Every structure is written in structure tokens, then in C-alpha cells.
Amino acid sequence: DTEVTQTPKHLVMGMTNKKSLKCEQHMGHRAMYWYKQKAKKPPELMFVYSYEKLSINESVPSRFSPECPNSSLLNLHLHALQPEDSALYLCASSQGERGTQYFGPGTRLLVL
Amino acid sequence: KQEVTQIPAALSVPEGENLVLNCSFTDSAIYNLQWFRQDPGKGLTSLLLIQSSQREQTSGRLNASLDKSSGRSTLYIAASQPGDSATYLCAVSGTGNQFYFGTGTSLTVIP
């Protein structure tokens, strides 16, 4: 099974809302990633968790808060977002830094 | 910081043609290079992974090569099909789980 699942598929939220994105994998991977992708642009790395510890935070605003409750699950908590945060949010996992990255289908986020 | 560039940005070919997509990177200290395809509005599908010690990888009609010293990789697609139409992205990984994507090549295969 090489599947990474993400929920929800679509999300519309106002600037005062709090919501969460969820990512799950059951491949035993110990590295998990959040990316943000704007239209017609490549994905941009946001956060990396390695062995359930945050190892990379690419200067992401504090209105995005990642969480890794266990080795299979990765959350991204959203609060007080701006319209420019509207994008496709992708989750990925890999065995380690030398392994193949497997991506989920993404969550399409629209901030009004 | 690693810079990854893909040329061309867009490519349109008739069905059946062989084609080559290019990827270049500025820092040769990489662990591996991965090629992905992305259909509009969808996630990324991994196509091939080349470790830094390897020269090439093959999967079906796809062949990817890596020249680490010159900072280049190519993805060769044989006998292209309309179903190959997508955006192709290369990405390189370095130390500390860093992962840098290229700018992408949008491929259209015309029936």
C-alpha cells in the first residue's frame, strides 16, 4: 500500500475560522511533509516532521500550525488565514531523506 | 539555496513521438532526484527515483538519467500517448529532509 490520504478534499473558510487538515499514511514512513502549491507553480515546502519531531519550518506564518500526533498522522491547523493562503495543500511521506516521496491528493483550500 | 530549473516550460508533441524533458540544479550535493507527474488539480505521482550514486532508472516507456557533477537530469518518454499529457516535475533532495522542486514542464500530446 503506497497510499497517502488527505481530508477534506475541499475546504472553504472565512478569515476568522479555525479548521484542520488531516493526512494519514500506513507505510511505516518516518518522515512526513506539508507543501503549499499555488496555481501553475511547483509545490513549496512548509514543514517536515522526522520521527514525529518538527525538523524543518520554512518560515511559515504562525497562522499555520502543524502537529504530528503519531507516526501515521499529520495535521495542519489553520487559524485567521488570509485570502492569499488559498491554494492546494499537499501532504507527503517518505521512509527517510533518501527515500521516494509519496504524495496525497491534496486539500483545495479557499479562504474568503 | 538549491535552485532547480526545468526546460522547456511547455511542450506540445504529436502522439507517438519520443521526447526529452530537462532538469538542472545548482548544488550537486544531493541525495537523490525524483521525477513526478501532476494532472490538473491533483496530487503528484512519483515516476522514478534516482539515487545520487546511480546514472539512470527505467520504468516502462520512461527513462531518467542523472549527471550529478554537471547538475543535470533528463526524463525520456518513448512513444508518447495522449494519456502522458500532464505537468512533469523534478525534485532534488539534500541534507535534513530538504526537498526542492523544479519549475515544471507542461506536456501536451496531440492525438
Side-chain angles (χ1 to χ4, degrees), chain A residues 31 33 35 37 41-43 45 48-50 55-56 58 88 90 94 96-106 108, chain B residues 1 31-32 34 36 38 40-46 49 51-52 89 93-104:
Chain A
Y33 311 77
Y35 291 86
Q37 187 178 27
K41 297 290 187 182
L45 185 65
V48 181
Y49 272 84
S50 181
S55 63
I56 293 178
E58 291 285 3
L88 180 67
L90 294 163
S94 67
E97 57 192 1
R98 296 175 184 264
T100 299
Q101 283 210 1
Y102 293 92
F103 280 78
R108 177 75 59 189
Chain B
K1 183 181 175 182
Y31 283 147
N32 60 49
Q34 197 166 352
F36 296 89
Q38 185 174 31
K42 305 290 186 182
L44 280 69
T45 301
S46 178
L49 173 75
Q51 299 292 352
S52 60
L89 294 155
S93 72
T95 57
N97 285 320
Q98 283 287 4
F99 207 65
Y100 298 97
F101 276 90
T103 45

Side-chain angles (χ1 to χ4, degrees), chain B residues 11 13-17 19 21 36-40 42 45 47 61-62 75 77-88 105-111:
Chain B
L11 181 63
V13 300
E15 182 178 0
E17 195 163 291
L19 58 101
L21 307 181
F36 296 89
R37 69 172 279 168
Q38 185 174 31
D39 294 290
K42 305 290 186 182
T45 301
L47 298 173
R61 294 183 294 109
L62 305 179
L75 179 67
I77 302 177
S80 59
Q81 303 171 357
D84 295 331
S85 298
T87 295
Y88 289 79
T105 294
S106 177
L107 173 66
T108 302
V109 180
I110 304 166

